[in-house]
Coordinates of all heavy atoms in Angstrom, one line a residue:
M1 N -17.2 1.6 -5.3 CA -18.2 1.3 -4.3 C -19.4 2.1 -4.7 O -19.3 3.3 -4.9 CB -17.6 1.7 -2.9 CG -18.6 1.6 -1.9 SD -18.0 2.3 -0.3 CE -16.7 1.1 0.0
T2 N -20.6 1.5 -4.6 CA -21.8 2.2 -4.9 C -22.6 2.2 -3.6 O -22.8 1.2 -3.0 CB -22.6 1.5 -6.0 OG1 -21.8 1.4 -7.2 CG2 -23.9 2.2 -6.3
L3 N -23.2 3.3 -3.3 CA -24.1 3.5 -2.2 C -25.5 3.9 -2.8 O -25.6 4.9 -3.3 CB -23.6 4.5 -1.2 CG -24.5 4.9 -0.1 CD1 -24.7 3.7 0.8 CD2 -24.0 6.1 0.7
N4 N -26.4 3.0 -2.7 CA -27.8 3.2 -3.2 C -28.7 3.4 -2.0 O -28.9 2.5 -1.2 CB -28.2 2.1 -4.1 CG -29.5 2.4 -4.8 OD1 -30.4 3.1 -4.3 ND2 -29.7 1.8 -6.0
M5 N -29.3 4.6 -2.0 CA -30.2 4.9 -0.8 C -31.7 4.6 -1.1 O -32.5 5.2 -0.4 CB -30.0 6.3 -0.4 CG -28.6 6.6 0.2 SD -28.5 8.2 0.8 CE -30.0 8.4 1.7
E6 N -32.0 3.8 -2.0 CA -33.4 3.6 -2.4 C -34.2 2.8 -1.4 O -35.4 2.7 -1.5 CB -33.5 3.0 -3.8 CG -33.0 4.0 -4.9 CD -33.2 3.4 -6.2 OE1 -33.9 2.4 -6.4 OE2 -32.5 3.9 -7.1
W7 N -33.6 2.3 -0.3 CA -34.3 1.5 0.7 C -35.1 2.3 1.6 O -36.0 1.8 2.2 CB -33.3 0.7 1.5 CG -32.4 1.6 2.4 CD1 -32.8 2.1 3.6 CD2 -31.1 2.0 2.2 NE1 -31.8 2.8 4.2 CE2 -30.7 2.8 3.3 CE3 -30.2 1.9 1.1 CZ2 -29.5 3.4 3.4 CZ3 -29.0 2.5 1.2 CH2 -28.7 3.3 2.4
G8 N -34.9 3.6 1.7 CA -35.6 4.4 2.7 C -36.2 5.7 2.1 O -35.9 6.1 1.0
L9 N -37.0 6.4 2.8 CA -37.7 7.6 2.4 C -37.1 8.8 3.1 O -37.6 9.9 2.9 CB -39.2 7.5 2.7 CG -39.9 6.4 2.0 CD1 -41.4 6.3 2.4 CD2 -39.8 6.5 0.5
E10 N -36.0 8.6 3.9 CA -35.5 9.7 4.6 C -34.0 10.0 4.2 O -33.3 9.0 3.8 CB -35.5 9.5 6.1 CG -36.9 9.4 6.7 CD -36.9 9.2 8.2 OE1 -35.9 9.6 8.8 OE2 -37.9 8.8 8.7
D11 N -33.6 11.2 4.2 CA -32.2 11.5 3.9 C -31.3 10.9 5.0 O -31.8 10.5 6.1 CB -32.0 13.1 3.9 CG -32.8 13.7 2.8 OD1 -33.3 13.0 1.9 OD2 -32.8 15.0 2.8
I12 N -30.1 10.8 4.7 CA -29.2 10.1 5.6 C -27.9 10.9 5.8 O -27.4 11.6 4.8 CB -28.8 8.7 5.1 CG1 -28.1 7.9 6.2 CG2 -28.1 8.7 3.8 CD1 -28.0 6.4 5.8
C13 N -27.3 10.9 7.0 CA -26.1 11.6 7.2 C -25.0 10.5 7.3 O -25.2 9.5 8.1 CB -26.1 12.4 8.5 SG -24.6 13.2 9.0
L14 N -24.0 10.6 6.5 CA -22.9 9.6 6.6 C -21.6 10.2 7.2 O -21.3 11.3 6.9 CB -22.6 9.1 5.2 CG -23.6 8.2 4.5 CD1 -23.0 7.7 3.1 CD2 -23.9 7.0 5.3
K15 N -21.0 9.4 8.0 CA -19.6 9.7 8.4 C -18.7 8.7 7.7 O -18.8 7.5 7.8 CB -19.5 9.5 9.9 CG -18.1 9.8 10.5 CD -18.0 9.7 12.0 CE -17.9 8.2 12.4 NZ -17.6 8.0 13.8
I16 N -17.8 9.3 7.0 CA -16.8 8.5 6.2 C -15.4 8.7 6.7 O -15.0 9.9 6.8 CB -16.9 8.8 4.7 CG1 -18.3 8.6 4.2 CG2 -15.9 7.9 3.9 CD1 -18.6 9.1 2.8
V17 N -14.7 7.7 7.1 CA -13.4 7.8 7.6 C -12.5 6.8 6.8 O -12.8 5.7 6.7 CB -13.3 7.5 9.1 CG1 -11.8 7.6 9.6 CG2 -14.2 8.4 10.0
A18 N -11.4 7.4 6.3 CA -10.4 6.6 5.6 C -9.1 6.6 6.5 O -8.7 7.6 7.0 CB -10.1 7.1 4.2
N19 N -8.6 5.4 6.8 CA -7.4 5.4 7.6 C -6.4 4.4 7.1 O -6.6 3.8 6.0 CB -7.7 5.0 9.1 CG -8.5 3.8 9.2 OD1 -8.5 2.9 8.4 ND2 -9.3 3.7 10.3
N20 N -5.3 4.2 7.7 CA -4.1 3.4 7.2 C -3.8 3.8 5.8 O -3.6 3.0 4.9 CB -4.5 1.9 7.3 CG -4.7 1.4 8.7 OD1 -4.1 1.9 9.6 ND2 -5.7 0.6 8.9
I21 N -3.6 5.1 5.6 CA -3.4 5.7 4.3 C -1.9 5.6 3.9 O -1.1 5.9 4.7 CB -3.9 7.1 4.2 CG1 -5.4 7.2 4.5 CG2 -3.5 7.8 2.9 CD1 -5.9 8.6 4.7
T22 N -1.7 5.2 2.7 CA -0.4 5.3 2.1 C -0.5 6.0 0.7 O -1.5 5.7 0.0 CB 0.3 3.9 1.9 OG1 -0.5 3.1 1.0 CG2 0.6 3.2 3.2
G23 N 0.3 6.9 0.4 CA 0.2 7.6 -0.8 C -0.5 8.9 -0.7 O -0.9 9.4 0.3
E24 N -0.8 9.5 -1.9 CA -1.5 10.7 -2.0 C -2.8 10.6 -2.9 O -2.8 9.9 -3.9 CB -0.6 11.8 -2.7 CG 0.6 12.1 -2.0 CD 1.5 13.0 -2.7 OE1 1.9 12.7 -3.9 OE2 1.8 14.1 -2.2
G25 N -3.9 11.2 -2.4 CA -5.1 11.1 -3.2 C -6.3 11.6 -2.4 O -6.1 12.3 -1.4
G26 N -7.5 11.2 -2.8 CA -8.7 11.7 -2.1 C -9.8 10.7 -2.3 O -9.8 9.7 -3.1
I27 N -10.9 11.0 -1.5 CA -12.1 10.2 -1.6 C -13.2 11.2 -1.8 O -13.3 12.3 -1.2 CB -12.3 9.4 -0.3 CG1 -11.2 8.4 -0.1 CG2 -13.7 8.7 -0.3 CD1 -11.2 7.6 1.2
Y28 N -14.1 10.8 -2.8 CA -15.1 11.7 -3.2 C -16.5 11.0 -3.2 O -16.6 9.8 -3.4 CB -14.9 12.2 -4.7 CG -13.5 12.7 -4.9 CD1 -12.4 11.9 -5.1 CD2 -13.2 14.1 -4.7 CE1 -11.1 12.4 -5.3 CE2 -12.0 14.6 -4.9 CZ -10.9 13.7 -5.2 OH -9.7 14.3 -5.3
V29 N -17.5 11.8 -2.8 CA -18.9 11.2 -2.9 C -19.6 12.0 -4.1 O -19.7 13.2 -4.0 CB -19.7 11.5 -1.6 CG1 -21.1 11.0 -1.7 CG2 -19.0 10.8 -0.4
V30 N -20.0 11.2 -5.1 CA -20.5 11.8 -6.3 C -21.8 11.1 -6.7 O -22.1 10.0 -6.2 CB -19.5 11.8 -7.5 CG1 -18.3 12.7 -7.2 CG2 -19.0 10.4 -7.7
D31 N -22.5 11.7 -7.7 CA -23.8 11.0 -8.1 C -23.8 10.4 -9.5 O -24.8 10.0 -10.0 CB -24.9 12.1 -8.0 CG -24.8 13.2 -9.0 OD1 -23.7 13.3 -9.7 OD2 -25.7 14.1 -9.0
D32 N -22.6 10.3 -10.0 CA -22.5 9.6 -11.4 C -21.0 9.2 -11.5 O -20.1 9.6 -10.7 CB -22.9 10.6 -12.4 CG -23.3 9.9 -13.8 OD1 -23.0 8.7 -13.9 OD2 -23.8 10.6 -14.6
C33 N -20.7 8.5 -12.6 CA -19.4 8.2 -13.0 C -18.5 9.4 -13.1 O -19.0 10.4 -13.7 CB -19.4 7.4 -14.3 SG -17.8 6.9 -14.9
P34 N -17.3 9.4 -12.6 CA -16.4 10.6 -12.7 C -16.2 11.1 -14.1 O -16.1 12.3 -14.3 CB -15.1 10.1 -12.1 CG -15.5 9.0 -11.1 CD -16.7 8.3 -11.8
D35 N -16.3 10.2 -15.1 CA -16.1 10.6 -16.5 C -17.3 11.5 -17.0 O -17.2 12.1 -18.0 CB -16.0 9.4 -17.4 CG -14.7 8.7 -17.2 OD1 -13.7 9.3 -16.6 OD2 -14.6 7.5 -17.5
N36 N -18.4 11.4 -16.3 CA -19.7 12.1 -16.7 C -19.9 13.5 -16.0 O -21.0 14.0 -16.0 CB -20.9 11.3 -16.5 CG -20.9 10.0 -17.3 OD1 -20.3 10.0 -18.4 ND2 -21.5 9.0 -16.9
N37 N -18.8 14.0 -15.4 CA -18.9 15.3 -14.7 C -20.0 15.3 -13.6 O -20.9 16.1 -13.7 CB -19.1 16.5 -15.7 CG -17.9 16.7 -16.6 OD1 -16.7 16.5 -16.2 ND2 -18.2 16.9 -17.9
P38 N -19.9 14.5 -12.6 CA -21.0 14.3 -11.6 C -21.0 15.5 -10.7 O -20.0 16.3 -10.6 CB -20.6 13.1 -10.9 CG -19.1 13.1 -11.0 CD -18.8 13.6 -12.3
N39 N -22.1 15.6 -9.9 CA -22.1 16.6 -8.8 C -21.3 15.9 -7.7 O -21.4 14.7 -7.4 CB -23.6 16.8 -8.4 CG -24.4 17.5 -9.4 OD1 -24.0 18.5 -9.9 ND2 -25.5 16.9 -9.8
C40 N -20.6 16.8 -6.9 CA -19.8 16.3 -5.8 C -20.5 16.7 -4.5 O -20.8 17.8 -4.3 CB -18.4 16.9 -5.9 SG -17.3 16.2 -4.6
F41 N -20.7 15.7 -3.6 CA -21.4 15.9 -2.4 C -20.4 16.0 -1.2 O -20.8 16.1 -0.1 CB -22.5 14.9 -2.1 CG -23.6 15.0 -3.2 CD1 -23.5 14.3 -4.4 CD2 -24.6 15.8 -2.9 CE1 -24.5 14.5 -5.3 CE2 -25.6 16.0 -3.9 CZ -25.5 15.3 -5.1
G42 N -19.2 15.8 -1.5 CA -18.1 15.8 -0.4 C -16.8 15.2 -0.9 O -16.8 14.4 -1.8
S43 N -15.8 15.7 -0.4 CA -14.5 15.2 -0.8 C -13.5 15.4 0.4 O -13.7 16.3 1.3 CB -13.9 15.9 -2.0 OG -13.7 17.3 -1.7
M44 N -12.5 14.6 0.5 CA -11.4 14.7 1.5 C -10.2 14.3 0.8 O -10.1 13.3 0.0 CB -11.8 13.9 2.7 CG -12.2 12.4 2.5 SD -12.7 11.7 4.0 CE -13.3 10.1 3.4
L45 N -9.1 15.0 1.1 CA -7.8 14.8 0.4 C -6.7 14.5 1.4 O -6.7 15.0 2.5 CB -7.5 16.1 -0.4 CG -8.6 16.5 -1.4 CD1 -8.2 17.8 -2.0 CD2 -8.7 15.5 -2.5
C46 N -5.7 13.8 0.9 CA -4.5 13.5 1.6 C -3.3 13.8 0.7 O -3.2 13.3 -0.3 CB -4.5 12.0 2.1 SG -2.9 11.6 2.9
D47 N -2.5 14.7 1.2 CA -1.3 15.1 0.4 C -0.1 14.3 0.8 O 1.0 14.7 0.5 CB -1.0 16.6 0.6 CG -2.0 17.4 -0.1 OD1 -2.5 17.0 -1.2 OD2 -2.3 18.5 0.3
G48 N -0.3 13.1 1.4 CA 0.8 12.2 1.6 C 1.3 12.0 3.0 O 2.1 11.1 3.3
D49 N 0.8 12.8 3.9 CA 1.3 12.7 5.3 C 0.1 12.6 6.3 O 0.0 13.3 7.3 CB 2.1 13.9 5.7 CG 2.8 13.7 7.1 OD1 3.0 12.6 7.5 OD2 3.1 14.7 7.7
C50 N -0.9 11.7 5.9 CA -2.1 11.6 6.6 C -2.2 10.2 7.3 O -1.9 9.2 6.7 CB -3.3 11.7 5.7 SG -3.4 13.2 4.7
D51 N -2.6 10.2 8.6 CA -3.0 8.9 9.2 C -4.4 8.6 8.8 O -4.8 7.4 8.6 CB -2.9 9.0 10.7 CG -1.5 9.3 11.2 OD1 -0.6 8.7 10.6 OD2 -1.3 10.0 12.1
S52 N -5.3 9.6 8.7 CA -6.7 9.4 8.4 C -7.3 10.7 7.8 O -6.7 11.8 8.0 CB -7.5 8.9 9.6 OG -7.5 10.0 10.6
I53 N -8.4 10.5 7.1 CA -9.2 11.6 6.6 C -10.6 11.4 7.0 O -11.1 10.2 7.0 CB -9.0 11.9 5.1 CG1 -9.0 10.6 4.3 CG2 -7.6 12.6 4.9 CD1 -8.8 10.8 2.8
Y54 N -11.4 12.4 7.2 CA -12.8 12.3 7.8 C -13.7 13.2 7.1 O -13.4 14.4 6.7 CB -12.6 12.7 9.3 CG -13.9 12.8 10.0 CD1 -14.4 11.8 10.7 CD2 -14.6 14.0 10.1 CE1 -15.6 11.9 11.4 CE2 -15.8 14.2 10.8 CZ -16.3 13.1 11.4 OH -17.5 13.2 12.1
M55 N -14.9 12.8 6.9 CA -16.0 13.6 6.2 C -17.3 13.2 6.8 O -17.6 12.0 7.0 CB -15.9 13.4 4.7 CG -17.1 13.9 4.0 SD -17.1 13.8 2.2 CE -16.2 12.3 1.8
E56 N -18.2 14.2 6.9 CA -19.7 14.0 7.1 C -20.4 14.6 6.0 O -20.0 15.7 5.6 CB -20.1 14.6 8.4 CG -19.6 13.9 9.7 CD -20.1 14.6 11.0 OE1 -21.1 15.4 10.9 OE2 -19.5 14.4 12.0
T57 N -21.4 14.0 5.5 CA -22.2 14.6 4.4 C -23.6 14.0 4.4 O -23.8 12.8 4.8 CB -21.5 14.3 3.0 OG1 -22.2 15.1 2.0 CG2 -21.5 12.9 2.6
T58 N -24.6 14.8 4.1 CA -26.0 14.4 4.0 C -26.3 14.1 2.6 O -26.0 14.8 1.7 CB -26.9 15.6 4.5 OG1 -26.6 15.9 5.9 CG2 -28.4 15.1 4.5
L59 N -27.0 12.9 2.4 CA -27.3 12.4 1.1 C -28.9 12.2 1.1 O -29.5 11.8 2.1 CB -26.6 11.1 0.8 CG -25.1 11.2 0.8 CD1 -24.5 9.8 0.6 CD2 -24.6 12.2 -0.2
Q60 N -29.5 12.5 -0.1 CA -30.9 12.5 -0.2 C -31.4 11.0 -0.5 O -30.7 10.3 -1.2 CB -31.4 13.4 -1.3 CG -31.2 14.8 -1.1 CD -31.7 15.7 -2.2 OE1 -32.0 15.2 -3.3 NE2 -31.8 17.0 -2.0
A61 N -32.5 10.7 0.1 CA -33.1 9.4 -0.1 C -33.5 9.2 -1.5 O -33.9 10.2 -2.2 CB -34.2 9.2 0.9
G62 N -33.5 8.0 -2.0 CA -34.0 7.6 -3.3 C -33.0 7.9 -4.4 O -33.3 7.8 -5.6
E63 N -31.8 8.3 -4.1 CA -30.8 8.6 -5.1 C -29.6 7.6 -5.0 O -29.5 6.9 -4.0 CB -30.2 10.0 -4.9 CG -31.2 11.1 -4.9 CD -31.8 11.3 -6.3 OE1 -31.1 11.1 -7.3 OE2 -33.0 11.7 -6.4
T64 N -28.8 7.5 -6.0 CA -27.7 6.6 -6.0 C -26.4 7.5 -5.9 O -26.3 8.5 -6.6 CB -27.6 5.8 -7.3 OG1 -28.8 5.0 -7.3 CG2 -26.4 4.9 -7.3
Y65 N -25.5 7.1 -5.0 CA -24.3 7.8 -4.9 C -23.1 6.9 -5.0 O -23.2 5.7 -4.8 CB -24.2 8.5 -3.5 CG -25.3 9.5 -3.3 CD1 -26.5 9.1 -2.7 CD2 -25.1 10.8 -3.7 CE1 -27.5 10.1 -2.6 CE2 -26.1 11.7 -3.5 CZ -27.3 11.4 -3.0 OH -28.3 12.3 -2.8
Y66 N -21.9 7.4 -5.4 CA -20.7 6.6 -5.5 C -19.7 7.2 -4.6 O -19.5 8.4 -4.6 CB -20.3 6.6 -7.0 CG -21.3 6.1 -7.9 CD1 -22.3 7.0 -8.5 CD2 -21.4 4.8 -8.3 CE1 -23.3 6.5 -9.3 CE2 -22.4 4.3 -9.1 CZ -23.3 5.2 -9.6 OH -24.3 4.7 -10.5
I67 N -19.0 6.3 -3.9 CA -17.8 6.7 -3.2 C -16.6 6.3 -4.0 O -16.4 5.1 -4.2 CB -17.8 6.1 -1.8 CG1 -19.1 6.6 -1.0 CG2 -16.6 6.5 -1.0 CD1 -19.3 5.9 0.3
V68 N -15.8 7.3 -4.4 CA -14.7 7.0 -5.3 C -13.4 7.4 -4.6 O -13.2 8.5 -4.0 CB -14.8 7.9 -6.6 CG1 -13.7 7.7 -7.5 CG2 -16.2 7.6 -7.2
G69 N -12.4 6.5 -4.6 CA -11.1 6.8 -4.2 C -10.2 6.9 -5.4 O -10.2 6.1 -6.3
A70 N -9.3 8.0 -5.4 CA -8.5 8.2 -6.6 C -7.1 8.8 -6.1 O -7.1 9.6 -5.2 CB -9.2 9.2 -7.5
S71 N -6.1 8.3 -6.8 CA -4.8 8.8 -6.5 C -4.6 10.2 -7.1 O -5.2 10.5 -8.1 CB -3.7 7.9 -7.0 OG -3.7 7.8 -8.4
K72 N -3.7 10.9 -6.5 CA -3.3 12.3 -7.0 C -2.6 12.1 -8.3 O -1.9 11.0 -8.5 CB -2.5 13.0 -6.0 CG -2.3 14.4 -6.2 CD -1.5 15.0 -5.0 CE -1.3 16.5 -5.2 NZ -0.6 17.0 -4.0
A73 N -2.7 13.0 -9.2 CA -1.9 12.9 -10.5 C -0.5 12.7 -10.2 O 0.1 13.3 -9.3 CB -2.1 14.2 -11.3
N74 N 0.1 11.8 -10.9 CA 1.5 11.4 -10.8 C 1.9 10.7 -9.5 O 3.1 10.6 -9.2 CB 2.5 12.6 -11.0 CG 2.3 13.2 -12.4 OD1 2.1 12.5 -13.4 ND2 2.2 14.6 -12.4
A75 N 0.9 10.4 -8.7 CA 1.2 9.6 -7.4 C 1.3 8.1 -7.8 O 0.6 7.6 -8.7 CB 0.1 9.8 -6.4
S76 N 2.2 7.5 -7.1 CA 2.5 6.1 -7.4 C 1.4 5.2 -6.8 O 1.2 4.1 -7.2 CB 3.9 5.7 -6.9 OG 4.0 5.9 -5.5
E77 N 0.8 5.6 -5.7 CA -0.2 4.8 -5.0 C -1.1 5.7 -4.1 O -0.8 6.8 -3.7 CB 0.4 3.7 -4.2 CG 1.2 4.2 -3.0 CD 1.8 3.1 -2.1 OE1 1.8 2.0 -2.5 OE2 2.3 3.5 -1.0
F78 N -2.3 5.1 -3.8 CA -3.2 5.7 -2.8 C -4.0 4.5 -2.2 O -4.9 4.0 -2.9 CB -4.1 6.8 -3.4 CG -5.0 7.4 -2.3 CD1 -4.5 8.0 -1.2 CD2 -6.4 7.3 -2.5 CE1 -5.3 8.6 -0.3 CE2 -7.2 7.9 -1.5 CZ -6.7 8.5 -0.4
N79 N -3.6 4.0 -1.1 CA -4.2 2.9 -0.4 C -4.8 3.3 0.9 O -4.2 4.2 1.6 CB -3.2 1.8 -0.2 CG -2.6 1.3 -1.5 OD1 -3.2 0.9 -2.4 ND2 -1.2 1.3 -1.5
F80 N -5.9 2.7 1.3 CA -6.6 3.1 2.5 C -7.6 2.0 2.9 O -8.1 1.2 2.1 CB -7.3 4.5 2.3 CG -8.3 4.5 1.2 CD1 -9.7 4.1 1.4 CD2 -7.9 4.8 -0.1 CE1 -10.6 4.1 0.3 CE2 -8.8 4.8 -1.2 CZ -10.1 4.4 -0.9
N81 N -8.0 2.1 4.2 CA -9.2 1.3 4.7 C -10.3 2.4 4.8 O -10.0 3.5 5.2 CB -8.9 0.7 6.0 CG -7.8 -0.4 5.9 OD1 -7.6 -1.0 4.8 ND2 -7.1 -0.7 7.0
I82 N -11.5 2.0 4.6 CA -12.6 2.9 4.7 C -13.7 2.4 5.7 O -14.0 1.2 5.7 CB -13.2 3.2 3.3 CG1 -14.2 4.4 3.4 CG2 -13.9 2.0 2.7 CD1 -14.5 5.0 2.1
N83 N -14.2 3.3 6.5 CA -15.3 2.9 7.4 C -16.4 3.9 7.1 O -16.2 5.1 7.1 CB -14.9 3.1 8.9 CG -13.8 2.1 9.2 OD1 -14.0 0.9 9.1 ND2 -12.7 2.5 9.8
I84 N -17.6 3.4 7.0 CA -18.8 4.3 6.7 C -19.9 4.0 7.8 O -20.3 2.8 8.0 CB -19.4 4.0 5.3 CG1 -18.3 4.2 4.2 CG2 -20.6 4.9 5.0 CD1 -18.7 3.7 2.9
D85 N -20.3 5.0 8.5 CA -21.3 4.9 9.5 C -22.4 5.9 9.2 O -22.2 7.0 8.6 CB -20.7 5.2 10.9 CG -19.7 4.2 11.3 OD1 -20.1 3.0 11.2 OD2 -18.6 4.5 11.8
T86 N -23.6 5.6 9.6 CA -24.7 6.5 9.6 C -24.8 7.2 10.9 O -24.6 6.7 11.9 CB -26.1 5.8 9.2 OG1 -26.3 4.8 10.2 CG2 -26.0 5.2 7.9
L87 N -25.1 8.5 10.8 CA -25.3 9.3 12.0 C -26.8 9.8 12.0 O -27.5 9.8 11.0 CB -24.4 10.6 11.9 CG -22.9 10.3 11.9 CD1 -22.2 11.6 11.7 CD2 -22.5 9.5 13.1
Q88 N -27.3 10.2 13.2 CA -28.6 10.7 13.3 C -28.8 11.9 12.4 O -28.0 12.9 12.5 CB -29.0 11.0 14.7 CG -30.4 11.4 14.9 CD -30.8 11.6 16.4 OE1 -30.0 11.2 17.2 NE2 -31.9 12.2 16.6
N89 N -29.8 11.9 11.5 CA -29.9 13.1 10.6 C -30.9 14.1 11.3 O -32.1 14.2 10.9 CB -30.5 12.6 9.3 CG -30.4 13.7 8.2 OD1 -29.6 14.7 8.4 ND2 -31.1 13.6 7.1
D90 N -30.4 14.8 12.2 CA -31.2 15.8 13.0 C -30.8 17.2 12.6 O -31.0 18.1 13.3 CB -31.0 15.6 14.5 CG -29.6 15.7 14.9 OD1 -28.7 16.0 14.0 OD2 -29.3 15.5 16.1
G91 N -30.2 17.4 11.4 CA -29.8 18.7 11.0 C -28.4 19.0 11.4 O -27.8 20.1 11.1
A92 N -27.8 18.2 12.3 CA -26.4 18.5 12.8 C -25.3 17.9 11.9 O -24.2 18.1 12.2 CB -26.3 17.9 14.2
C93 N -25.7 17.1 10.9 CA -24.7 16.6 10.0 C -24.0 17.7 9.3 O -24.7 18.6 8.7 CB -25.3 15.6 9.0 SG -24.1 14.8 7.9
I94 N -22.7 17.8 9.3 CA -21.9 18.9 8.8 C -21.4 18.5 7.4 O -20.8 17.5 7.3 CB -20.8 19.3 9.8 CG1 -21.4 19.6 11.1 CG2 -20.0 20.4 9.2 CD1 -20.3 19.7 12.2
S95 N -21.7 19.3 6.5 CA -21.2 19.0 5.1 C -19.8 19.6 5.0 O -19.3 20.4 5.7 CB -22.1 19.7 4.1 OG -21.9 21.0 4.0
C96 N -19.1 19.1 3.9 CA -17.7 19.6 3.7 C -17.7 21.1 3.3 O -16.6 21.7 3.4 CB -17.1 18.8 2.6 SG -16.9 17.1 3.1
N97 N -18.8 21.7 2.9 CA -18.8 23.1 2.7 C -18.6 23.9 4.0 O -18.3 25.0 4.0 CB -20.1 23.5 2.1 CG -20.3 22.9 0.7 OD1 -19.3 22.6 0.0 ND2 -21.5 22.7 0.3
D98 N -18.8 23.2 5.1 CA -18.6 23.8 6.4 C -17.2 23.4 7.0 O -17.0 23.5 8.2 CB -19.7 23.4 7.4 CG -21.0 23.9 7.0 OD1 -21.1 25.0 6.4 OD2 -22.0 23.1 7.1
D99 N -16.3 23.0 6.2 CA -14.9 22.7 6.6 C -14.8 21.6 7.6 O -14.0 21.7 8.5 CB -14.2 24.0 7.1 CG -14.0 25.0 6.0 OD1 -13.8 24.6 4.8 OD2 -14.1 26.2 6.3
V100 N -15.6 20.6 7.5 CA -15.5 19.4 8.4 C -14.6 18.4 7.8 O -14.2 17.5 8.6 CB -16.9 18.9 8.7 CG1 -16.8 17.4 9.1 CG2 -17.4 19.6 9.9
C101 N -14.3 18.4 6.6 CA -13.4 17.4 6.0 C -12.0 17.7 6.5 O -11.5 18.8 6.3 CB -13.5 17.5 4.5 SG -15.1 17.1 3.8
I102 N -11.4 16.8 7.2 CA -10.1 17.1 7.8 C -9.2 15.9 7.5 O -9.6 14.8 7.3 CB -10.3 17.3 9.3 CG1 -10.9 16.1 10.0 CG2 -11.1 18.5 9.7 CD1 -10.9 16.1 11.5
A103 N -7.9 16.2 7.6 CA -6.9 15.2 7.5 C -6.1 15.2 8.8 O -5.7 16.3 9.3 CB -5.9 15.5 6.4
C104 N -6.0 14.1 9.4 CA -5.2 14.0 10.7 C -3.8 13.4 10.4 O -3.7 12.5 9.7 CB -6.0 13.0 11.6 SG -7.7 13.4 11.9
T105 N -2.8 14.1 11.0 CA -1.5 13.7 10.7 C -0.8 13.4 12.0 O -1.3 13.7 13.1 CB -0.7 14.8 10.0 OG1 -0.7 16.0 10.8 CG2 -1.3 15.1 8.6
N106 N 0.4 12.8 12.0 CA 1.1 12.4 13.2 C 1.5 13.7 13.9 O 1.9 14.6 13.4 CB 2.4 11.6 12.8 CG 2.0 10.2 12.4 OD1 1.0 9.7 12.8 ND2 2.9 9.7 11.5

């Protein structure tokens, strides 16, 4: 999945929620192909017992970002549904460096 923000001149705050998860893995927001050692702007991980995982991250306008889902090494699967919403970018968007990336379990 590619998210290209070239349509606007303002930064954007995204809320990303993955649910209906089976397996182990994670979702990452990066600025290049994973093989090219990209910068990571957020990540959320599920170690196999997650109902959902949640992240908010601010992305700069005019840049291209990629949302990547990847299974954990030696995991047989990592399946999920993803919902992406924009939030008001008033400085309240919390990045994963502030421990907002969470995994919700039963």
